[in-house]
Amino acid sequence: MSVFESPLTDDCPLLPMRMHPAYRYGEMTPWGGDALGRLYGKPIPDPRTGEALEISCIPGLESADDVGETLPAHLAREGEAAGRQRTRQAVSPAIEITGRRQQPERAGTPK
């Protein structure tokens, strides 16, 4: 069974989805070129493509899924439920133990 066929659970309220990048090209990126297409096989829209925004919610430059639904649309529809679940899981153990955020100590950093 692939990850795309896994059943939804409370720990995984959404399945992974394949997103297609938005591109900055032409007048937006005069420094751009064809390297994204030539080196990485990206379907660049213009010979002056400067950036592939793989996951983007930037207005006008949103990444989209296989059927064309944008990432902001997914987040608007599914984000609240998924966000609640992730918020519960996103607290680091150090915060749970101490009740506060701590900066990690670095070697050679004066105290």
Side-chain angles (χ1 to χ4, degrees):
M1 175 185 317
S2 81
V3 70
F4 292 102
E5 298 167 348
S6 301
L8 296 178
T9 65
D10 287 340
D11 292 336
C12 181
L14 297 173
L15 294 177
M17 64 186 103
R18 186 177 326 275
M19 299 299 289
H20 301 278
Y23 293 94
R24 286 191 179 159
Y25 59 92
E27 294 298 318
M28 289 188 288
T29 58
W31 65 86
D34 67 348
L36 287 171
R38 190 171 27 85
L39 298 174
Y40 300 105
K42 299 277 183 192
I44 59 173
D46 187 273
R48 289 190 301 169
T49 300
E51 298 173 346
L53 306 172
E54 299 292 332
I55 301 293
S56 173
C57 287
I58 298 171
L61 292 169
E62 299 94 347
S63 48
D65 67 7
D66 287 338
V67 296
E69 187 172 17
T70 65
L71 183 55
H74 277 287
L75 293 174
R77 190 186 66 229
E78 305 286 353
E80 185 178 334
R84 272 197 311 271
Q85 183 65 29
R86 287 191 189 102
T87 300
R88 284 198 305 261
Q89 296 173 350
V91 177
S92 87
I95 295 170
E96 288 180 1
I97 293 168
T98 65
R100 61 189 170 94
R101 295 183 187 272
Q102 296 177 325
Q103 294 293 331
E105 289 187 24
R106 294 186 182 144
T109 303
K111 294 184 178 188

